[in-house]
Amino acid sequence: MTRILVVDDEPDLETLIRQKFRKSIKDSQYDFVFAENGRRALDVLAEDGQIDLVLTDINMPEMDGLTLLAQLNEKNYFLKSVIVSAYGDMDNIRTAMNLGAFDFITKPIDFHDLEVTMTKTIKHVLELKKGVETLRENDTLKIYLKEINAQKKLKDRFFAIISHDLRGPVSSFQGLSDIIGMYIRKGKYDELESMISEVEQATSQLSGLLDNLLNWASQELSQIPHNPVNIEVHQMVEDIFQVLQSTATSKGITFSNKVDKGISIWSDMNSTMTIFRNLISNALKFTEENGVIEISVSNVSDLVDIQVKDTGIGIPEDKLKELFKLSDSLSTYGTKGEKGVGLGLQLVNEFTKLNQGALKVESTVGSGTTFTVSLPAKL
């Protein structure tokens, strides 16, 4: 339905228009609204945002049609006007067209001419609206496509990196299997004991990578459960140290748990364990033999600041800025050739946010790195 505002001070015009267009009104094609002058018309437009066409006389009290036209352009880009003027009043008609009138009709009104003019004007308004809507839909579609392509590239990149990294521990198992088979065939059973630490290291590496992959997949599907509980930090660190001890021993690295007993955080157990397991695993990867990895608490207030400090090779300043983004270009080999992809640090960052915490890192090349994870002390 098209809403048309008729602005004219002739009292009989409303009755005449409703009579001439009664079928169109009954069929809900047109809906007419009336105002006796330009000032009243502006009030109607302010109250009714559905007006598509203004049909206005020129000579009216309080505010004439030309003054009204001058203000209509500021109201609505899609609102079009048709001016009604005395036959032969070309000066006013020219002025009206310059002020933005779409068309004009003359008095006395020829209702057939009026309907043709209204139809043409309404068609123009609908085309304008359709054109703008098409542009808006195209822009929106472009944005969606851009986001979808970006996500697809990220996921393709992610799985390519994961596939590459999985080859490392899988190849290690294959190599170890060959060596173990050779020792058994040659009866060198005493040599098998020396393979245990290497098997444990490859197992730990593969297990950590798969944990990261599962956590990431859950996160992408927005299915990560978040169930905060009271976590005693000292015991949590001890549990993680126990899991990673064989890797530390193989590199001669010392674990140091300097967290006082009794200090607790309010956080989700699974995601918090993932945070510190990844940070400690990273520290193991990038710390030279006979180095030290120390966990301590530097501050206890509303947030507990837990520090993971190593004596490793450090992180260059240019990589610090991009540290928590998934990118194969950030991959760095550990001190024994271990390769990482930054996936663990991506999870550390996301899971810290999930637990309403904060994360910062300080590093000096050649001197080591300190990650500080700040997590809530209480609910």
Side-chain angles (χ1 to χ4, degrees), residues 287-334:
T287 298
E288 299 280 4
E289 291 186 356
N290 302 316
V292 176
I293 296 173
E294 176 185 295
I295 315 297
S296 62
V297 169
S298 60
N299 177 62
V300 178
S301 55
D302 290 339
L303 291 174
V304 176
D305 296 340
I306 306 169
Q307 293 188 323
V308 179
K309 182 178 180 180
D310 64 55
T311 58
I313 60 177
I315 305 169
E317 187 174 349
D318 60 322
K319 289 199 172 185
L320 278 175
K321 298 175 183 177
E322 305 291 323
L323 199 58
F324 302 112
K325 295 180 181 179
L326 179 62
S327 172
D328 198 26
S329 65
L330 295 176
S331 299
T332 304
Y333 288 93

Side-chain angles (χ1 to χ4, degrees), residues 92-194:
N92 277 334
I93 291 173
R94 187 179 297 108
T95 302
M97 300 302 285
N98 288 336
L99 288 170
F102 181 77
D103 208 337
F104 71 94
I105 58 173
T106 58
K107 285 186 176 183
I109 296 175
D110 181 328
F111 281 93
H112 175 70
D113 182 36
L114 173 60
E115 186 166 18
V116 170
T117 303
M118 285 168 43
T119 301
K120 180 176 65 174
T121 307
I122 292 165
K123 181 181 178 183
H124 179 70
V125 170
L126 293 176
E127 287 175 349
L128 280 176
K129 288 184 175 181
K130 184 178 179 181
V132 170
E133 186 61 31
T134 300
L135 287 173
R136 185 180 296 118
E137 288 176 355
N138 286 343
D139 286 342
T140 303
L141 181 60
K142 286 177 184 176
I143 292 170
Y144 282 142
L145 288 174
K146 186 176 180 180
E147 290 178 352
I148 289 169
N149 286 333
Q151 287 295 319
K152 183 178 182 299
K153 287 179 181 178
L154 178 63
K155 284 181 170 60
D156 289 346
R157 183 74 165 161
F158 168 73
F159 284 112
I161 292 170
I162 282 293
S163 298
H164 183 278
D165 245 32
L166 280 172
R167 289 196 189 101
V170 170
S171 296
S172 295
F173 278 119
Q174 290 173 337
L176 290 170
S177 175
D178 292 341
I179 294 171
I180 290 171
M182 181 189 69
Y183 284 161
I184 291 175
R185 286 193 300 272
K186 293 185 176 182
K188 296 182 178 181
Y189 301 110
D190 292 340
E191 303 289 344
L192 292 176
E193 188 174 351
S194 64

Side-chain angles (χ1 to χ4, degrees), residues 26-285:
K26 183 179 179 181
D27 293 342
S28 298
Q29 181 181 357
Y30 297 141
D31 182 22
F32 290 93
V33 182
F34 296 87
E36 63 274 15
N37 57 57
R39 192 173 302 282
R40 175 59 189 149
L42 292 176
D43 292 339
V44 172
L45 290 169
E47 297 167 1
D48 189 343
Q50 303 302 313
I51 304 293
D52 297 305
L53 169 62
V54 175
L55 178 66
T56 181
D57 192 13
I58 289 181
N59 298 312
M60 296 177 293
E62 293 194 44
M63 181 184 289
D64 62 30
L66 296 178
T67 306
L68 172 62
L69 278 174
Q71 297 192 38
L72 285 183
N73 291 333
E74 303 173 2
K75 297 295 178 183
N76 186 338
Y77 171 73
F78 299 111
L79 185 63
K80 298 303 173 184
S81 56
V82 173
I83 200 79
V84 181
S85 180
Y87 182 78
D89 189 7
M90 294 307 299
D91 286 341
N92 277 334
I93 291 173
R94 187 179 297 108
T95 302
M97 300 302 285
N98 288 336
L99 288 170
F102 181 77
D103 208 337
F104 71 94
I105 58 173
T106 58
K107 285 186 176 183
I109 296 175
D110 181 328
F111 281 93
H112 175 70
D113 182 36
L114 173 60
E115 186 166 18
V116 170
T117 303
M118 285 168 43
T119 301
K120 180 176 65 174
T121 307
I122 292 165
K123 181 181 178 183
H124 179 70
V125 170
L126 293 176
E127 287 175 349
L128 280 176
K129 288 184 175 181
K130 184 178 179 181
V132 170
E133 186 61 31
T134 300
L135 287 173
R136 185 180 296 118
E137 288 176 355
N138 286 343
D139 286 342
T140 303
L141 181 60
K142 286 177 184 176
I143 292 170
Y144 282 142
L145 288 174
K146 186 176 180 180
E147 290 178 352
I148 289 169
N149 286 333
Q151 287 295 319
K152 183 178 182 299
K153 287 179 181 178
L154 178 63
K155 284 181 170 60
D156 289 346
R157 183 74 165 161
F158 168 73
F159 284 112
I161 292 170
I162 282 293
S163 298
H164 183 278
D165 245 32
L166 280 172
R167 289 196 189 101
V170 170
S171 296
S172 295
F173 278 119
Q174 290 173 337
L176 290 170
S177 175
D178 292 341
I179 294 171
I180 290 171
M182 181 189 69
Y183 284 161
I184 291 175
R185 286 193 300 272
K186 293 185 176 182
K188 296 182 178 181
Y189 301 110
D190 292 340
E191 303 289 344
L192 292 176
E193 188 174 351
S194 64
M195 305 298 299
I196 292 176
S197 64
E198 294 185 47
V199 172
E200 288 177 342
Q201 184 174 349
T203 302
S204 177
Q205 185 183 2
L206 182 59
S207 176
L209 189 60
L210 290 175
D211 282 345
N212 287 342
L213 177 58
L214 291 172
N215 284 329
W216 179 273
S218 298
Q219 184 184 28
E220 286 295 292
L221 295 172
S222 300
Q223 292 177 346
I224 296 178
H226 182 246
N227 304 305
V229 295
N230 193 62
I231 301 173
E232 209 269 339
V233 180
H234 181 92
Q235 187 57 52
M236 176 190 70
V237 172
E238 286 297 312
D239 291 342
I240 296 172
F241 278 173
Q242 185 175 355
V243 171
L244 299 175
Q245 186 60 58
S246 61
T247 304
T249 300
S250 69
K251 293 185 72 173
I253 293 173
T254 302
F255 281 148
S256 176
N257 184 355
K258 291 194 173 181
V259 180
D260 292 337
K261 293 181 179 180
I263 297 176
S264 297
I265 53 175
W266 185 261
S267 187
D268 176 76
M269 177 62 80
N270 290 328
S271 58
T272 304
M273 291 287 284
T274 299
I275 290 170
F276 290 100
R277 185 174 63 247
N278 274 290
L279 289 178
I280 296 170
S281 293
N282 256 27
L284 280 170
K285 192 179 299 180

Side-chain angles (χ1 to χ4, degrees), residues 343-358:
L343 175 61
L345 291 180
Q346 173 80 6
L347 288 170
V348 167
N349 188 36
E350 295 299 328
F351 284 173
T352 300
K353 292 177 183 176
L354 178 70
N355 286 291
Q356 300 178 11

